[in-house]
Every structure is written in structure tokens, then in C-alpha cells.
Amino acid sequence: MKGRLQAVAVAGLGIGSLMFAWVGAAAAALVTLRKGMTEGAFVVFWALLPAIAVLSYGQDVGPLCMLLVSAVAAEVLRSSRSWPLALCAAVVGGLVSALILYHSAQDYLAGILATVQPMLDQLQTQSRGQLPQILTGDIAAVIGSSTVLWSGLALMLARWWQALLYNPGGFREEMWSLRLPAVVTVVLVAAMLLFSQAGEVYRFWGVMCLLPLIAAGLSLVHGLVGRLALGRVWLVVFYIALLLFGPLWAVLILAAIVDSWIDIRRRLPTAQ
């Protein structure tokens, strides 16, 4: 926020480091959130140089996709002031990224598949052939899902930075109140069902539609804990359970879907 040079340096170094690429994307998103599309585009343009270098020499398209999608999502959040729309923009960005890769970069996807094939063969042996054969469309889905996830996290980090600088406590209020409109939930669920029925190539693409539902579910949990003044220990227990029990993710998503229709937080009393 001190100037263009500092913003470009943080974004470029983060994108070029791979491990901290999402931090670099968050820096570009922060400029977009605070100063608008023109300033944000300037930072994104210069951050594209290390992103393209990583793609050319490191054969990793992730930082490039993450940078562009998080910047678009930041602009959507800035202009609409709507987290559901911003998260949906990240989903659309992930889907577009996967689609472009699948139709324009089959050699790239095939190279990744060849790299991980020995591990997949080992898993197939351990499962006695019960796992589905992995296709290049599945690799595109993984890249798209990763783009959605890390772009969403970068946007949240940028919004948290913005709140720390200009509106302390604002990020927590936004996250506690995040709730998907019913129409958005219907579109996301319908998209997942359509992808699941669109053939082998697109069988895992619906996973990209889960991010807004998961974010809304986590927001619901945090909002309930805060509203009822239960204390942070409940959140610690919840996240440990989420890591240990896989079916709890399905319950979280279902809770987000139900909340989009009945607004659970509004129906509960506030702790005195």
C-alpha cells in the first residue's frame, strides 16, 4: 500500500517463489480491492512476468492461473461487495482454466500424468484395480480445483490484510455472516450434477463448485460459535474432527445448502 514498486515486488517475488505464490496473488488482489482495477492490473501485469517464467522453465501453470483468477475475484468482490459472487467468480475462473488446458494443452496434461503414473499404478495395485483410470481430463480438473482453492484463499488473505489496515474486525464480521443465496446454491449443485453426468472427461470437474459451499459451511460454524459465545476450543475440536472424519465434510456442505434456504444463524438467539 506504500506504492507501486512495493506492491509489484511482493507480488512478483511471491509468484516466482512457487511456495508463496498465493501470497503474491494476495498482494495483487489487495491492490485491486483497495485501489481498483487500474492499479490492480498494473501489479498483475508485472507479476505475470515471473508467472510466465515459472510456466516456461518450471512447467507449472498454477501461479499464472492463481494470479489471474484471484485478481478477477478481487474485482468482483470490490464492485459487488458480495463474497458469494466473488467465490463464484473463482469457480468460473477455475473451470475456464481447466477447459483451456484440456483443449489447448494436452501435451502439458499428458506430461503431468506421465510423471504421477508410477504412483497411480502403485495405488491401483494396492486397491486391486478398483480405482478408476486417471485421464488427462482428471488432471485438468485437479489444476482447476487447485486454482479455485488457492485463489479463494489468496482473496481471503487480501481481504484480511485490508481489514487490518483500514477496518479492524471487518474481515471476521464478513466471514461470520457469509451465506450463499438460495439461487447460487441451486446453480452450484446443478453444475455438479451436470458435470457428473457429462462423461469420463468431466467426472471430477464438479469438485470446483464445492469451494463456495465449503466456505459457507465454515462460515456457518464460526458464526454459530461466535453468536453463542462458545469459545475457540469448540472451533479447535471441530477442525480436528473435520480432519479425522471424512464424512463430516458432507455434513458441512449439506449444512451450507440448508442454511442458504432457512438462514440458521438468524433463527438462533444471541448469547448474553
Side-chain angles (χ1 to χ4, degrees), residues 24-252:
L30 173 60
V31 175
T32 302
L33 286 172
R34 182 62 184 175
K35 297 188 176 181
M37 182 183 297
T38 301
E39 287 294 322
F42 179 86
V43 176
V44 169
F45 174 80
W46 288 105
L48 281 174
L49 298 180
I52 294 173
V54 169
L55 175 59
S56 300
Y57 298 103
Q59 295 296 304
D60 190 347
V61 74
L64 177 62
C65 294
M66 187 194 316
L67 174 65
L68 295 176
V69 173
S70 60
V72 171
E75 177 57 29
V76 171
L77 179 59
R78 180 180 182 273
S79 60
S80 68
R81 299 180 181 273
S82 170
W83 270 103
L85 289 181
L87 294 176
C88 287
V91 172
V92 172
L95 289 170
V96 171
S97 300
L99 194 64
I100 292 174
L101 286 172
Y102 183 73
H103 288 285
S104 305
Q106 278 291 324
D107 291 342
Y108 174 76
L109 298 176
I112 296 177
L113 182 57
T115 301
V116 300
Q117 193 61 54
M119 181 182 65
L120 296 175
D121 292 339
Q122 185 177 4
L123 292 175
Q124 281 282 9
T125 302
Q126 294 175 353
S127 66
R128 299 179 180 180
Q130 294 181 356
L131 293 178
Q133 186 67 32
I134 301 300
L135 309 173
T136 54
D138 302 328
I139 303 299
V142 170
I143 295 174
S145 300
S146 176
T147 297
V148 177
L149 173 62
W150 289 105
S151 298
L153 291 176
L155 180 59
M156 291 180 182
L157 178 60
R159 194 64 161 181
W160 179 59
W161 282 342
Q162 185 182 28
L164 286 178
L165 291 170
Y166 307 106
N167 183 27
F171 179 75
R172 183 180 66 177
E173 293 177 5
E174 288 185 359
M175 290 296 99
W176 279 13
S177 61
L178 172 60
R179 173 176 164 268
L180 299 181
V183 64
V184 172
T185 301
V186 170
V187 171
L188 291 172
V189 173
M192 285 189 288
L193 294 176
L194 288 174
F195 280 123
S196 68
Q197 301 298 319
E200 285 190 334
V201 169
Y202 304 104
R203 57 189 171 183
F204 297 130
W205 287 42
V207 174
M208 287 179 258
C209 301
L210 289 177
L211 173 66
L213 294 170
I214 292 174
L218 294 175
S219 173
L220 174 61
V221 172
H222 279 259
L224 292 178
V225 170
R227 190 177 184 88
L228 300 176
L230 296 178
R232 293 184 178 179
V233 65
W234 286 89
L235 291 176
V236 174
V237 171
F238 168 74
Y239 279 106
I240 291 175
L242 202 60
L243 292 174
L244 296 178
F245 303 105
L248 193 56
W249 287 97
V251 176
L252 182 71

